[in-house]
Structure formats: C-alpha cells, structure tokens
Amino acid sequence: MTQVTTHASVDTAVNQAAEAAPYWAESSVSTRAALLRGLAEALEAHKADLVAIADEESHLGSARLTGEIARSAFQLRGFAEHLEAGAAHKRVVDEAIAGAPPAGRPQLTRVLRPVGPVAMFSASNFPFAFSVLGGDTASALAAGCPVVVKAHSGHPRLSKAVFDLARQVVLAQQLPEGLLTLIEGASRGSGGYLVQHPEIKAVAFTGSYQGGTALWRLANERPVPIPFFGELGSINPLVALPEALEADSQNLANTLAGSITMGCGQFCTSPGVIVVLKGGSTEQFISQLGDALKPIQTHAMLTPSMREGFEHASSVVAEHAKTQLVGTAGPGPAPRLYRTDAIAFIASSQLREEMFGPAAVIVEASSLTEVEQVLGAIGGTLTTTLWGASDDTPANRSLVRAAERVSGRVLFKGVPTGVAVCAAQNHGGPWPSSTAPQTTSVGYASLERFLRPVALQDAPAWAQA
C-alpha cells in the first residue's frame, strides 16, 4: 500500500493483490459486505475534507462533488445488499438423469468463481464515482477480487487521501492489505506494464478511446490474454421528433442546454449529436436551444490537456459544419453548437468524432429513414435518446430498433447525463463505446464482469459451496 512509480513497485502492489486473492475469493458474504459498508462510512465521515481536495484539483464544484460522494457510498452499500441477496454466488443445478445421452446426464452444478486481481484505471471526470472507491472497485471487491487502482493524474491528492481512508478500514477489519493497492504517478509505460502483469486477471478502464484501445491491445497481446472492460467514450445522439418539440420545445431546449454543459460537457453520456427533422418546430427549437445556452458559463476543464483536446476536436468539426458559438467564455470554454445535414454527417467521419466538452452537432434529416441512417453512421454509443417516439407505430418501432442496434441504453424521456445505480442499469454499448458490449460498468450487474462460471460434475456437496 505504498506509492508506486516504477515497474518494481508495480510488481510489489500486484504481488500483494495476488497474495490476498485466495483469501478474498473464499471470504464470506458477511466479510465482504462489512468491508463495503465500512468504506461507505469512511467516505461519508470525511466528506468535507475530501470534497475540498477534489474541488481544488478538478474544479467541479462542491455541490457536484458532494453528490458524487453520496453516489459512491450508495453503490458501495448497494453491492453489499446484492451480495447478501446471492448476486455473487448464484448456482444452477441439473440433477443426474439415468440413461444414455442425450437424455441421460451426470449431476452438474454451475457456480461462479472470482477471476482474481483486477487492475482498475481511474477516470478523470468522476474523482469519486469512477476512481479509487468507485463502481469498478466496489463491484470487483464484491465479486471477491482484490483491486490494484491506477490513480488518475488529474486528481492525485484526492486519490491518495481516499486510498488512505480505505487502507484504515481494511486494517481495522483485519483484512489483508493486498485487497486494495494504489499506483500513483505511473507513466503510460507503467500503465501498460500493469495491464500485462501476469498476476492481473482483468482490467477495468474508463477513459479516452486512444488510451483505452492501446491498453486493450496490450491485454490481448499477453501470453495469456485477459478480459479488458473498457468504456471508451460516446457521442450519445438525441433524436428530437416534431411530436415532442410541438408539445414542449422551450422546456426541452432548457433541459438539453443543461445536459450539454453539465460538468463542462465532460461526461461520457453528454449528448453530442442532436438529430432533428426539418420544419418550423425544429427551427424554433434550435433557436431556443441557442438562447438557453447563452447565459451558461462553464467552469474550467479538468486538465489543460483536456481543454486542448476539446478545442482541437471542436476545430475539426467546425471545418465540416456551420458553427454557432453561444454565450461567452468564463473559466471554461464557451458552449457551442454546430449545424449540418444528414447527408454531410453520414459522409464525413470528422463530424462523428467525440468533442469531450460543452458542444453538440445539430443534424437535420429530411425523413425518419435518414434519422436511422444517421444512427447507423454513428455506430456504437452508450446512449440514444428518442424524444417523441412514444406512440406504438411502425415508424417508431423501426426507430427504436435502430437505436437498440447501436446503443447500450435507449431513453424515451429526459437526457442521458445522470446514470442511475440499480440492478436494471446498463452502462456500455457496441464498439467503440465499450470493448465488452455484453457488460455494464454501472449498476449491480457490473460485478458479473469479475466472475467466471465453472461447471462442477458429480461433485461432492462441499465442493459446490
């Protein structure tokens, strides 16, 4: 549990996790649940100090960060409750049937076993919820896997402070120190070394497409490849049909403006593409959206490099679309809208690049068929929002199917920013939004990533526990 900056110290952290793995894999539900609840209590008990550090490093504001601590504590306790309900110990039993196959069979019991030490790469934009004690750590610990946390360079002091609190909880409960280790200040090379360490059995990553795919390749190039659960970003199209705009365009514009600029647009679920059908209600909506964005001043972005990346991505989009700057720059960049048509959007991959910041592209389509073609051109995305697709019509059914093909979550109301932590949640999607589209990184099903099924044949009762 010491600061890690070299390959040798990465070895130390991972080896500690490997030593703790057999104990934690065999640990009882009550032991795991007690740890998860203890970690939640530690976060809440030191909330004020942690929020102050986080705000200094991230500029996200005390209200947002306080809410993020509440979410982190909530999901830690939620995983404890789901453990107690049997989530990590589900069994499927097929009793033996006498006779020859295919009717006859031996007794088979399908059980779930922890995969082993998990490398978790913290995200920049959620200093609590996707960091040291965020959802990936909580789900892996719940599954029975030790976690090696790669701290993010955007909030190093906070990462160390949260880790120190977690360490105290682990020691107070007389658990192995290797259950949670921290890598601080590691270079890209050290991150790659961590992914390829032979004792690491899975990786959880939330971050950029470029960084994620580089690590994903390393995970697959190992002598023994391992699962890489990467969430790589998304442009989250929002389709605003005339039916919705004619009913409530002003409130929808206000809601959308808040979603585009929330957290200075640094959400993986920020709506980056607004798809509309040409017409009078659409023109009014676009004007209202611009007006709603004008008074919003964004806060500083998480890091200077993130600001540079946003400005570069915006400039690329600006070369291929009509630009409409709205508002004025405050501590952060001014919100901006870009406008193009469906034909140009489908033809130009540059218009489909993620702008990780307070910006969106408005795409005007001439028909619902073109709307579906726009969704198809976007490809994999975490979310698609469909405003106005409430009625059961053939056209709406076709649109929903198109959205489901490219998305991990389809919304019919509201905006995609804000991801509920619950059993039914799915935070993932087809490539390139996720490297493992059959899994989720948010919600209680996320612990299934770190469990491996094993079928036990004609096993004694003690082996089936």
Side-chain angles (χ1 to χ4, degrees):
M1 291 187 144
T2 56
Q3 181 173 351
V4 179
T5 56
T6 66
H7 286 190
S9 50
V10 171
D11 287 337
T12 299
V14 175
N15 289 337
Q16 283 183 327
E19 290 173 6
Y23 166 84
W24 197 236
E26 297 293 332
S27 63
S28 67
V29 166
S30 60
T31 298
R32 295 185 204 174
L35 175 60
L36 293 167
R37 290 191 172 106
L39 295 173
E41 291 169 5
L43 281 177
E44 292 173 333
H46 296 84
K47 175 172 58 180
D49 292 339
L50 294 175
V51 166
I53 297 171
D55 197 23
E56 288 177 10
E57 291 186 316
S58 68
H59 319 292
L60 292 174
S62 61
R64 151 78 190 275
L65 293 165
T66 299
E68 204 176 313
I69 282 187
R71 167 186 166 148
S72 300
F74 175 86
Q75 65 186 2
L76 283 162
R77 292 191 176 98
F79 276 111
E81 292 171 3
H82 275 71
L83 271 179
E84 291 166 343
H89 298 87
K90 296 176 182 177
R91 298 195 309 161
V92 178
V93 179
D94 281 319
E95 298 296 349
I97 296 177
R105 65 170 182 246
Q107 194 268 356
L108 287 163
T109 303
R110 189 178 190 271
V111 297
L112 300 173
R113 300 300 189 220
V115 298
V118 174
M120 195 285 287
F121 284 72
S122 299
S124 62
N125 55 338
F126 283 91
F128 293 108
F130 281 83
S131 189
V132 177
L133 291 181
D136 286 331
T137 297
S139 58
L141 288 174
C145 301
V147 181
V148 181
V149 175
K150 164 66 173 65
H152 196 279
S153 59
H155 38 84
R157 287 175 51 222
L158 178 67
S159 297
K160 183 63 164 60
V162 172
F163 173 73
D164 287 342
L165 288 176
R167 180 178 184 272
Q168 293 172 22
V169 175
V170 169
L171 294 178
Q173 295 190 11
Q174 299 182 321
L175 299 173
E177 290 189 65
L179 289 186
L180 191 67
T181 54
L182 181 69
I183 295 176
E184 301 176 80
S187 64
R188 289 185 178 181
S190 296
Y193 183 76
L194 172 63
V195 168
Q196 293 199 313
H197 196 288
E199 295 292 348
I200 291 294
K201 304 304 180 185
V203 180
F205 173 90
T206 300
S208 70
Y209 174 81
Q210 292 79 9
T213 51
L215 294 174
W216 172 75
R217 291 188 183 97
L218 291 176
N220 284 283
E221 290 168 359
R222 291 169 40 131
V224 179
I226 57 173
F228 184 92
F229 302 104
E231 192 255 89
L232 310 180
S234 180
I235 60 175
N236 306 297
L238 184 150
V239 179
L241 298 177
E243 292 86 340
L245 300 183
E246 290 165 3
D248 198 18
S249 64
Q250 184 62 69
N251 284 330
L252 292 175
N254 294 340
T255 299
L256 182 54
S259 184
I260 291 171
T261 57
M262 183 180 292
C264 199
Q266 298 167 115
F267 277 35
C268 54
T269 53
S270 182
V273 174
I274 316 303
V275 189
V276 294
L277 288 171
K278 295 176 181 178
S281 60
T282 290
E283 289 300 325
Q284 175 179 274
F285 172 70
I286 294 172
S287 176
Q288 290 168 332
L289 178 58
D291 289 342
L293 285 165
K294 283 179 183 178
I296 298 176
Q297 286 200 352
T298 58
H299 58 68
M301 298 192 80
L302 292 163
T303 65
S305 62
M306 200 164 289
R307 174 67 184 267
E308 292 172 7
F310 169 66
E311 296 295 350
H312 172 72
S314 297
S315 67
V316 171
V317 172
E319 292 177 3
H320 296 82
K322 296 177 182 178
T323 306
Q324 179 184 358
L325 291 176
V326 290
T328 56
R336 60 204 69 178
L337 292 174
Y338 301 95
R339 189 168 178 175
T340 189
D341 60 49
I343 294 174
F345 183 86
I346 293 167
S348 176
S349 61
Q350 290 87 346
L351 289 171
R352 303 193 295 273
E353 294 297 323
E354 181 182 20
M355 295 179 288
F356 198 63
V361 180
I362 297 171
V363 179
E364 295 177 276
S366 60
S367 66
L368 286 175
T369 298
E370 273 197 345
V371 172
E372 293 185 22
Q373 291 170 347
V374 167
L375 296 181
I378 289 171
T381 184
L382 294 172
T383 74
T384 295
T385 302
L386 304 175
W387 284 349
S390 300
D391 293 339
D392 185 357
T393 66
N396 283 344
R397 283 179 174 266
S398 180
L399 183 59
V400 170
R401 286 194 295 269
E404 289 178 342
R405 283 194 292 271
V406 300
S407 312
R409 178 163 57 110
V410 178
L411 297 78
F412 294 82
K413 296 180 180 179
V415 287
T417 43
V419 185
V421 180
C422 57
Q425 185 59 266
N426 186 62
H427 189 64
W431 181 277
S433 64
S434 172
T435 61
Q438 72 277 21
T439 67
T440 177
S441 63
V442 178
Y444 303 119
S446 61
L447 68 78
E448 296 170 6
R449 297 175 295 173
F450 309 118
L451 294 168
R452 183 174 62 85
V454 177
L456 304 174
Q457 183 168 320
D458 291 329
W462 60 265
Q464 300 179 40

